[in-house]
Amino acid sequence: MNIVLLGAPGAQGQKLVEDFGFAHISTGDLLRAAVKAGSELGIKAKSYMESGQLVPDQLVIDLVKERLDSDDAQKGFILD
């Protein structure tokens, strides 16, 4: 099962993660983690973020794809 949450941040996603054991995927969290880790995608994203620009969709898509390949996302995920 895959779930997409739209709207203001809240506790709904965390509750579903706890109840069902799904992976919680937040694009903002992915971007910050990639920048902090200094990954290739993180370095690319950092240049956009530091200049106040939006990170291009394809870069975000690549980060999400990479995350969806993780073992914990195989059971299901919540895209928040």
Side-chain angles (χ1 to χ4, degrees), residues 7-67:
Q12 314 91 317
Q14 190 57 41
K15 178 72 171 138
L16 291 169
V17 167
E18 292 168 8
D19 289 350
F20 298 104
F22 297 147
H24 181 252
I25 301 172
S26 161
T27 55
D29 291 346
L30 288 177
L31 285 165
R32 287 185 288 278
V35 168
K36 184 176 180 178
S39 70
E40 181 182 341
L41 292 174
I43 292 168
K44 290 178 184 177
K46 184 177 180 179
S47 66
Y48 291 100
M49 294 164 70
E50 286 182 341
S51 65
Q53 297 178 21
L54 293 175
V55 176
D57 290 344
Q58 189 58 56
L59 203 155
V60 175
I61 290 166
D62 292 343
L63 280 169
V64 171
K65 283 182 179 179
E66 189 176 272
R67 178 66 178 90

Side-chain angles (χ1 to χ4, degrees), residues 1-7 12-13 16 22 25 77-80:
M1 177 185 313
N2 303 318
I3 299 170
V4 177
L5 299 176
L6 303 173
Q12 314 91 317
L16 291 169
F22 297 147
I25 301 172
F77 61 87
I78 298 168
L79 184 58
D80 189 359

